[in-house]
């Protein structure tokens, strides 16, 4: 893929007015071609030296912000609107690169635009940046490009990403309060162990009497914080770095994803989320004209759970041998009976896309309802947990005082 350089230009617009600016392109010829697509006639152009030193933008691997799903949803919606209005693909990409607020996405769109200018198809140009564009988007764009309904395919992509963003937002908003309460309880316990308990320990030492067992345990835990806290910080940072690197590896997903679905409270919720994502993505892929086998493979990769992906791999193999979709799905316990029955009806009636959309809609509502119920159940449990921990520590601290008061009487 050609590298991108910055060019400073002077050009005239349709009214003959001179204008100056700067744009990124793979070559001077590509920069001139872009100016012409913008309705400008180039007068002069010069290469801008690359930034260095303090002027260079610093990107730290693993910490730099990537392209978000919301950014892709907005981009797909805008791109579909402009192409549907009759704008050329190059001009559409120019406008998107200029007005996109996400800097990582702007950089990638500039490269995509350069590739399209050299004659590469938009789907192939997107596939060169698989770290930013999901397989679902690339394949739906390719189907729309081949079938002559690119704007419709992009509309479907936008709707898919918007629903996914809404689903994630629902889960995050439901989990925000419990997580904050849990963090506050942990911070409160740490503050008491590190700062409050030592003060009481000095007071107890002056009393000269034996401490009750709960108080002794609390004092020992407090004294060990000097060593435990640094170890926990180091282990926590090390695990976070390891997790960031390995969480998407097959070895980790094969062990972790089945455990997620077997969790007592969160397992059913995660299963509903995975089924909702599978149904929505599969419906959109079929609606875009993607072949069934290819759609099953892509939907499995984008399901977010290895169990679903492995199940759909087996389903695809059965379909390749001439079976229906519903029959092998019934053999996969991760898919509820309602899902397989509705898919079977959709296959028989020739309305598989409609049935899949209904399944997705049903499970979206189920996820929203389940998260609300989960939040309602977690809140009192967390408050009770906080009360027991903090209250138990306070009682353990005051037990020696109660013992002395009883002895005096």
């Amino acid at each position: 893929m050609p590298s991108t350089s910055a060019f400073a230009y002077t050009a005239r617009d349709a009214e003959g007015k001179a204008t100056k600016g700067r744009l990124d392109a793979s070559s001077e010829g590509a920069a001139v071609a872009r100016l012409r697509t913008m309705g400008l006639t180039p007068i002069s152009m010069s290469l801008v030296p690359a930034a260095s030193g303090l002027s260079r933008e610093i990107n730290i691997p693993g910490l730099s912000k990537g392209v978000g799903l919301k950014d892709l949803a907005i981009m797909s919606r805008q791109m579909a609107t402009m192409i549907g209005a009759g704008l050329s693909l190059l001009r559409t990409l120019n406008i998107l690169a200029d007005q996109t607020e996400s800097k990582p996405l702007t950089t990638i769109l500039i490269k995509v635009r350069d590739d399209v200018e050299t004659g590469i198809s938009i789907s192939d140009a997107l596939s060169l940046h698989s770290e930013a564009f999901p397989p679902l988007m690339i394949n739906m764009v390719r189907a729309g490009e081949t079938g002559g309904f690119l704007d419709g395919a992009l509309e479907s992509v936008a709707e898919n990403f918007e629903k996914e963003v809404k689903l994630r937002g629902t889960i995050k908003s439901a989990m925000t309060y419990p997580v904050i309460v849990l963090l506050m309880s942990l911070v409160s316990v740490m503050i008491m162990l590190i700062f409050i308990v030592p003060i009481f320990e000095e007071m107890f030492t002056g009393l000269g009497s034996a401490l009750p067992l709960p108080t002794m345990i609390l004092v020992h835990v407090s004294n060990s914080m000097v060593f435990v806290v640094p170890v926990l910080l180091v282990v926590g940072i090390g695990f976070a770095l390891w997790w960031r690197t390995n969480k998407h590896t097959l070895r980790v997903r094969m062990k972790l994803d089945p455990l997620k679905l077997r969790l007592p409270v969160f397992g059913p919720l995660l299963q509903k989320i995975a089924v909702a994502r599978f149904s929505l993505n599969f419906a959109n892929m079929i609606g875009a004209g993607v072949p069934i086998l290819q759609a099953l493979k892509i939907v499995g990769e984008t399901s977010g759970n290895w169990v679903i992906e492995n199940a759909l791999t087996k389903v695809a193999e059965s379909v390749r041998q001439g079976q229906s979709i519903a029959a092998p799905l019934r053999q996969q316990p991760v898919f509820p009976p309602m899902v397989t029955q509705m898919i079977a009806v959709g296959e028989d009636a020739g309305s598989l896309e409609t049935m899949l959309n209904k399944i997705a809609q049903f499970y979206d509502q189920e996820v929203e309802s389940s998260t609300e119920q989960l939040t309602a159940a977690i809140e009192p449990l967390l408050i009770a947990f906080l009360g027991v921990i903090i209250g138990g520590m306070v009682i353990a601290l005051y037990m020696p005082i109660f013992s002395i008061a009883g002895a005096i009487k």
Side-chain angles (χ1 to χ4, degrees), residues 193 197 204 210-222 391-400 403:
L193 289 173
V197 174
F204 297 151
L211 297 177
L213 180 61
T215 309
M216 290 178 60
I217 294 174
L218 188 62
V219 169
H220 285 307
V221 172
S222 174
M393 292 175 66
V394 171
I395 291 173
L397 288 175
Y398 279 93
M399 282 182 71
S403 300

Side-chain angles (χ1 to χ4, degrees), residues 99-117:
Q99 70 180 23
T100 300
E101 296 181 0
S102 170
K103 289 185 178 180
L105 184 56
T106 299
T107 303
I108 293 172
L109 283 174
I110 290 171
K111 295 177 181 178
V112 169
R113 179 187 61 192
D114 293 343
D115 293 334
V116 170
E117 278 183 337

Side-chain angles (χ1 to χ4, degrees), residues 22 25 27 31 43 47 60 70-71 80 94 96 123 125 156 201 212 257-259 288 293 304 328 339 366 388 404:
R22 172 176 166 163
S27 64
I43 300 174
L47 182 65
I60 302 176
K70 187 175 181 180
D71 297 324
N94 277 328
L96 288 173
S123 57
S156 298
E201 183 186 3
D257 286 353
L259 294 177
L293 289 175
V339 174
E366 282 287 298
V388 169
I404 294 172

Side-chain angles (χ1 to χ4, degrees), residues 89-380:
L89 187 56
L90 279 177
R91 190 167 184 183
T92 298
L93 291 171
N94 277 328
I95 296 171
L96 288 173
D98 290 338
Q99 70 180 23
T100 300
E101 296 181 0
S102 170
K103 289 185 178 180
L105 184 56
T106 299
T107 303
I108 293 172
L109 283 174
I110 290 171
K111 295 177 181 178
V112 169
R113 179 187 61 192
D114 293 343
D115 293 334
V116 170
E117 278 183 337
T118 62
I120 298 177
S121 66
I122 180 64
S123 57
D124 288 339
L126 293 179
S127 66
L128 295 174
H129 306 279
S130 57
E131 77 285 355
F133 303 110
L136 179 79
M137 180 178 183
I138 295 171
N139 283 276
M140 289 187 69
V141 167
R142 180 173 286 117
E145 194 175 31
T146 304
F149 53 94
L150 181 58
D151 55 337
L154 287 166
E155 284 282 355
S156 298
V157 170
E159 290 176 4
N160 183 288
F161 289 165
E162 286 165 359
K163 289 180 180 178
E164 182 72 16
V165 169
K166 182 182 177 182
L167 178 63
R168 292 183 182 182
T170 300
I171 298 169
K172 285 181 180 179
S173 62
M175 294 294 107
T176 298
Y177 177 76
V179 169
I180 290 176
V181 171
L182 182 60
L183 290 177
M184 287 179 62
S185 66
L186 292 175
V187 170
S188 301
V189 169
M190 296 298 292
I191 290 174
M192 290 189 67
L193 289 173
I194 295 173
F195 299 104
I196 306 299
V197 174
I199 297 174
F200 278 81
E201 183 186 3
E202 292 179 4
M203 183 177 67
F204 297 151
T205 303
L207 296 177
S209 59
L211 297 177
L213 180 61
T215 309
M216 290 178 60
I217 294 174
L218 188 62
V219 169
H220 285 307
V221 172
S222 174
N223 293 334
S224 65
M225 284 296 103
V226 179
F227 308 101
V228 171
V229 170
V231 171
L232 288 177
L233 286 174
V234 172
V235 171
I237 293 172
F239 177 77
L241 294 174
W242 177 88
W243 178 252
R244 191 179 186 90
T245 306
N246 295 277
K247 64 181 179 180
H248 294 304
T249 60
L250 182 61
R251 178 171 55 89
V252 173
R253 293 178 62 218
M254 287 177 64
K255 295 179 182 284
L256 189 62
D257 286 353
L259 294 177
K260 289 180 182 178
L261 298 179
R262 288 198 292 266
L263 289 173
V265 178
F266 294 94
L269 175 61
L270 294 174
Q271 182 184 13
K272 290 174 183 176
I273 293 171
V275 172
R277 187 176 294 164
F278 151 75
S279 305
L280 178 63
N281 291 345
F282 198 19
N284 285 330
M285 296 291 283
I286 292 174
V290 178
I292 293 290
L293 289 175
Q294 186 179 357
L296 285 170
K297 180 178 183 298
I298 296 166
V299 169
E301 293 173 353
T302 57
S303 64
N305 192 285
W306 176 83
V307 178
I308 298 280
E309 182 178 347
N310 185 54
L312 290 178
T313 300
K314 296 177 181 177
V315 170
E317 184 61 32
S318 299
V319 171
R320 186 178 288 108
Q321 296 173 3
Q323 297 187 37
S324 65
I325 298 173
L329 272 182
R330 291 193 190 96
Q331 302 172 10
Q332 306 300 326
V334 70
F335 294 102
M338 187 200 79
V339 174
T340 57
Q341 291 293 334
M342 290 185 69
I343 289 177
V345 172
E347 281 187 297
D348 293 339
S351 57
L352 182 58
E353 181 186 356
T354 303
M355 283 298 183
L356 287 167
N357 279 319
K358 289 183 181 296
I359 294 171
Q361 184 179 4
F362 172 79
Y363 277 99
D364 282 343
Q365 295 172 352
E366 282 287 298
V367 168
E368 188 172 349
S369 175
S370 297
T371 50
E372 290 176 357
Q373 294 174 7
L374 189 60
T375 305
I378 286 177
E379 288 178 11

